[in-house]
Amino acid sequence: MAKLHNIEELAEQTAADISSSPSAWTSYLDTAAQLYRYPFSDSLLIHAQRPGAIACASMQVWNKKMNRWIKKGSKGIALIDDTGPANRLWYVFDIADTRVLSRSRMPFLWQIPERHRDEIRKDLIDTYGLKEKTNQFHEMLFNIASSLTAIEMESAMDGIENHVGDSPLRNQEKSNVRDTFRHLYYRIHNGAGLGTFRGIGKQPVLTA
């Protein structure tokens, strides 16, 4: 079993590693996009220990709720529970660590299948009053995200600058802080299965 101080050190080192280059950061975002229900601290440690994870849960959830059993010899992914008077470790397992039984359930994976895109596209056009229709679903999603970001960014930046404290955003150029928030779109895009999004920190390139 992992020791608490080892996992705390792993979290600290991984945070430094993923911020060392655009490729390292986008690699982390690929993991985080699959684990959108987990906070940063948990997705960071899952990425460090199991970067290919796509659906994680505790042994109790897999056994009781999903009726899937953990494979013998599987190693749990250690996470830090800081909600009590003292930090402690708890463990989750990826779906790859489970075996299927007769009544096993499949977890919900965040995707937008091709068969649903026409209906979603129509809703987006109606909701946002889009005048130009595009055949590229991911371009439509990116344009909407860009437009909403432009509307909200200035007021959001004022609030962010007042609360960066001693975080890595301190003393950063405003353009760099803006790029940080573009990463949220990367998570949405790749996590929804819409292809590959490249160009973090520069003009983006979208490929289906």
Side-chain angles (χ1 to χ4, degrees):
M1 301 288 283
K3 300 293 186 180
L4 176 60
H5 74 274
N6 291 339
I7 297 302
E8 290 174 335
E9 289 178 355
L10 177 63
E12 184 175 348
Q13 182 59 53
T14 304
D17 290 343
I18 66 173
S19 61
S20 64
S21 69
S23 61
W25 180 239
T26 53
S27 178
Y28 159 72
L29 291 178
D30 287 336
T31 301
Q34 298 294 332
L35 306 169
Y36 59 95
R37 292 182 180 273
Y38 283 85
F40 172 76
S41 57
D42 287 348
S43 62
L44 181 74
L45 281 170
I46 293 173
H47 177 69
Q49 298 167 79
R50 196 76 59 83
I54 61 172
C56 292
S58 66
M59 181 180 292
Q60 181 178 14
V61 169
W62 284 125
N63 290 352
K64 302 294 185 181
K65 185 176 181 180
M66 307 304 293
N67 198 34
R68 302 175 75 105
W69 295 94
I70 305 301
K71 297 176 182 177
K72 185 177 180 179
S74 296
K75 183 179 180 181
I77 303 167
L79 305 179
I80 300 173
D81 178 2
D82 60 0
T83 59
N87 289 354
R88 67 179 185 88
L89 295 181
W90 68 290
Y91 295 85
V92 296
F93 295 83
D94 183 41
I95 189 172
D97 298 322
T98 69
R99 60 186 179 90
V100 179
L101 304 176
S102 59
R103 296 183 180 180
S104 292
R105 296 174 58 190
M106 183 68 182
F108 175 77
L109 301 179
W110 187 28
Q111 294 181 335
I112 302 179
E114 183 68 36
R115 65 183 182 276
H116 297 319
R117 294 187 189 182
D118 284 343
E119 182 177 354
I120 295 173
R121 183 184 289 109
K122 292 176 183 177
D123 286 342
L124 291 176
I125 291 172
D126 292 340
T127 299
Y128 295 101
L130 302 180
K131 296 180 180 180
E132 296 183 5
K133 298 181 181 180
T134 174
N135 292 325
Q136 297 297 322
F137 184 84
H138 54 274
E139 290 182 4
M140 176 181 289
L141 185 60
F142 178 77
N143 290 337
I144 292 172
S146 297
S147 177
L148 293 176
T149 299
I151 294 172
E152 300 294 337
M153 182 59 76
E154 291 305 321
S155 60
M157 287 298 300
D158 291 339
I160 291 166
E161 289 173 349
N162 291 331
H163 295 283
V164 294
D166 294 326
S167 78
L169 298 180
R170 186 182 180 92
N171 299 323
Q172 289 287 317
E173 295 290 336
K174 182 174 286 191
S175 61
N176 291 339
V177 179
R178 290 173 184 271
D179 284 339
T180 298
F181 288 89
R182 293 181 62 218
H183 299 162
L184 295 175
Y185 175 77
Y186 181 100
R187 288 184 61 177
I188 294 171
H189 185 273
N190 285 17
L194 298 179
T196 301
F197 176 87
R198 300 197 305 272
I200 293 296
K202 58 182 180 180
Q203 183 65 29
V205 175
L206 293 168
T207 61

